[in-house]
Amino acid sequence: MSFGDPNNPYGQPQNQGQGQQPGYGYPQQAPQGVPPQQGGYGYPAAPPVSPYGGGGYPGAAMEMPGGVKAARVFLWITGAFNLLGGLAVIGLSFAVDELEQSSTSNADAELFADMGQGLLIGLGIFSLIFAVAGMVLAAKFRSGGNGVRIGSIVYASFAVLFSIFSLPLGIVSLTLGVLVIVFVAKADGAAWFNRNKQQY
């Protein structure tokens, strides 16, 4: 009895009468020496999917969470404020001599004159160093590990502390510092900075 063209993929298979079922081109059992597959249709099972991107594949890039992105932007802004503030204080320090020689009775002018030029330059330099530290931390958010996370929390804590002493002008820095601490300390922030330890 003939079943038609043996090359016809829609025809009845030749081995139907021998008690074997069609396998649609995939082996029903793994060959000897090969471990059984976990997934369907002979393919291995996919690794577990990470909630922060990457899919659990080794070397796959994770996507930075939105809170961490916001914290990085806030660090750049805080650094820029400190940079501008440091330059302004250094610029004001050179006006101390003129303020001392003038006969004005402005309270701000007397305050700057009492502080002295050297102290103002020192504060300005400290503000510049603080600004550079914040910008370096923000630049390392993409590749940094848990040390960058801890450094960002410490930096933001000092920013909050310094902002309290400069209220009401420091309200922006105070708000940004608190938000950096919150966003970096959250679970998705910790997962982002510890991602290198999780990859295998």
Side-chain angles (χ1 to χ4, degrees):
M1 178 174 187
S2 174
F3 290 105
D5 185 10
N7 295 326
N8 183 0
Y10 301 107
Q12 193 169 2
Q14 296 291 333
N15 59 1
Q16 183 72 21
Q18 299 173 359
Q20 296 179 356
Q21 297 294 324
Y24 298 102
Y26 294 105
Q28 296 297 318
Q29 293 180 350
Q32 203 170 24
V34 177
Q37 304 295 326
Q38 300 291 328
Y41 301 107
Y43 293 106
V49 177
S50 170
Y52 306 109
Y57 291 97
M62 291 176 60
E63 183 178 351
M64 187 183 296
V68 177
K69 288 180 183 178
R72 182 175 61 168
V73 171
F74 295 158
L75 280 177
W76 280 114
I77 294 172
T78 304
F81 280 157
N82 283 300
L83 183 67
L84 294 175
L87 292 175
V89 169
I90 291 174
L92 286 174
S93 69
F94 293 109
V96 169
D97 292 334
E98 296 177 12
L99 291 174
E100 288 177 346
Q101 294 173 0
S102 67
S103 60
T104 59
S105 61
N106 187 357
D108 290 334
E110 291 178 5
L111 176 66
F112 281 118
D114 292 339
M115 290 179 73
Q117 186 177 15
L119 182 59
L120 288 176
I121 291 176
L123 288 174
I125 291 173
F126 176 77
S127 182
L128 293 178
I129 293 171
F130 194 69
V132 170
M135 292 178 178
V136 168
L137 285 170
K140 289 185 172 284
F141 263 47
R142 173 89 36 206
S143 61
N146 199 39
V148 175
R149 177 177 173 257
I150 294 171
S152 300
I153 292 173
V154 171
Y155 178 87
S157 300
F158 278 112
V160 168
L161 181 65
F162 297 146
S163 299
I164 290 174
F165 293 118
S166 62
L167 288 175
L169 294 176
I171 189 69
V172 175
S173 295
L174 176 67
T175 305
L176 294 179
V178 169
L179 289 174
V180 167
I181 293 171
V182 169
F183 289 148
V184 173
K186 283 172 53 176
D188 58 350
W192 168 256
F193 288 108
N194 289 323
R195 69 195 182 281
N196 293 331
K197 295 179 182 178
Q198 293 172 356
Q199 291 178 357
Y200 49 91

